[in-house]
């Protein structure tokens, strides 16, 4: 069965500092991996996705993520966070195409001035 | 509309009451998903449609939950005899035939009192 672990429930960083959110997955085949962001009262917005090819993927809002098969990880990074990045971040895995996603429990990001 | 639309945004139901939650997917999107997001958790898959066919309902927690998409566009998630544990945000997502990205609505927050 597929699963996603986001080990950090809550992370606090200073505005302008770098950010890394961790995601580990368990999946029997080549996974399709996603990072979504959810602001309070909002739905999920896709930040980036990985299907194949280059293991470093670029997304919206200056985010990037690196797929490391050997570590079963897909960590999300941003070199300099902005106050508007404060939100809940979810990593998800799926078999690809029109198939259901399995989400992690999320990491809440707080930005301090 | 340009995005996935869900209604109502908020619903308060008395325990034992039936509720119906509506999802308008992006026009032309073949696939439609329902997820349940409990407080502080990641979304969990409920059911999946391809056009009007319900291909996977393995995530529906009980036979009180029922979903339909009779004409392959709008979908309704119905919960009969609501219980307190049904309190959650219900998210709808749709994707096109290539299926690489699911677009989420803002969700319906259901509170059972």
């Amino acid at each position: 069965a597929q699963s996603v672990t986001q080990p950090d429930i809550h992370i606090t960083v200073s505005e302008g500092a770098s950010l890394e959110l961790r995601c580990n997955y368990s999946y029997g085949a080549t996974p399709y991996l996603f990072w979504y962001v959810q602001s309070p009262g909002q739905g999920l917005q896709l930040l980036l996705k990985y299907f194949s090819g280059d293991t470093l993927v670029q997304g919206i809002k200056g985010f990037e993520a690196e797929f490391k098969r050997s570590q079963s990880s897909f960590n999300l990074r941003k070199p300099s966070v902005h106050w508007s990045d404060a939100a809940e971040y979810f990593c998800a895995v799926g078999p690809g195409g029109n198939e259901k996603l399995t989400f992690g429990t999320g990491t809440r990001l707080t930005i301090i001035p | 509309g340009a995005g996935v639309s869900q209604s109502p945004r908020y619903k308060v139901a008395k325990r034992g009451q039936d509720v119906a939650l509506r999802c308008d997917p992006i026009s032309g999107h073949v696939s439609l998903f329902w997820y349940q997001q409990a407080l502080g958790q990641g979304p969990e898959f409920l059911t999946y449609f391809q056009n009007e066919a319900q291909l996977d309902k393995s995530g529906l927690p009980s036979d009180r939950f029922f979903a339909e998409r009779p004409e392959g566009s709008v979908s309704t998630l119905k919960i009969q005899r609501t219980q307190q544990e049904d309190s959650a945000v219900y998210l709808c997502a749709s994707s096109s035939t290539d299926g690489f990205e699911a677009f989420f609505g803002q969700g319906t927050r259901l509170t059972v009192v």
Side-chain angles (χ1 to χ4, degrees):
Chain A
Q2 58 203 46
S3 66
V4 176
T5 301
Q6 292 181 249
D8 304 306
I9 295 173
H10 185 203
I11 284 183
T12 300
V13 299
S14 298
E15 190 169 13
S18 64
L19 171 71
E20 182 170 29
L21 302 182
R22 295 183 290 166
C23 172
N24 292 94
Y25 67 90
S26 174
Y27 194 71
T30 301
Y32 285 59
L33 293 158
F34 306 81
W35 275 99
Y36 284 86
V37 61
Q38 185 177 40
S39 298
Q42 301 298 311
L44 297 165
Q45 181 183 21
L46 181 68
L47 286 176
L48 47 78
K49 56 187 182 287
Y50 171 78
F51 295 149
S52 64
D54 192 349
T55 56
L56 184 64
V57 294
Q58 302 297 320
I60 63 171
K61 304 184 179 185
F63 285 93
E64 66 178 26
E66 186 172 11
F67 171 60
K68 293 186 177 180
R69 184 186 299 275
S70 62
Q71 298 177 19
S72 297
S73 70
F74 188 57
N75 294 349
L76 181 71
R77 301 194 295 248
K78 186 170 184 177
S80 176
V81 298
H82 186 262
W83 64 266
S84 60
D85 294 325
E88 189 92 20
Y89 291 80
F90 292 95
C91 181
V93 65
N98 291 302
E99 299 286 342
K100 64 185 179 185
L101 296 176
T102 298
F103 287 84
T105 51
T107 297
R108 183 160 62 95
L109 176 64
T110 298
I111 309 294
I112 56 176
Chain B
V4 177
S5 177
Q6 293 187 245
S7 60
R9 287 292 314 278
Y10 304 92
K11 176 69 178 179
V12 178
K14 292 183 177 180
R15 191 170 56 182
Q17 190 177 3
D18 297 349
V19 298
L21 312 179
R22 177 187 170 103
C23 173
D24 276 278
I26 293 173
S27 179
H29 276 192
V30 168
S31 299
L32 186 146
F33 304 82
W34 284 99
Y35 290 84
Q36 180 190 58
Q37 186 177 19
L39 189 64
Q41 300 296 314
E44 292 193 356
F45 170 79
L46 292 176
T47 187
Y48 157 55
F49 290 86
Q50 191 171 82
N51 296 307
E52 67 277 6
Q54 190 174 19
L55 299 187
D56 187 347
K57 53 182 181 179
S58 61
L60 295 177
S62 77
D63 58 7
R64 296 185 296 103
F65 286 72
F66 172 75
E68 60 183 7
R69 194 185 185 197
E71 297 178 356
S73 57
V74 171
S75 177
T76 303
L77 176 67
K78 297 179 179 178
I79 309 173
Q80 297 177 325
R81 305 180 304 281
T82 52
Q83 303 295 317
Q84 272 197 311
E85 62 263 28
D86 301 334
S87 295
V89 175
Y90 291 85
L91 295 167
C92 176
S94 69
S95 64
S96 60
T97 50
D98 62 25
F100 290 141
E101 178 176 348
F103 294 84
F104 282 81
Q106 292 183 301
T108 294
R109 180 178 296 278
L110 173 65
T111 303
V112 181
V113 297

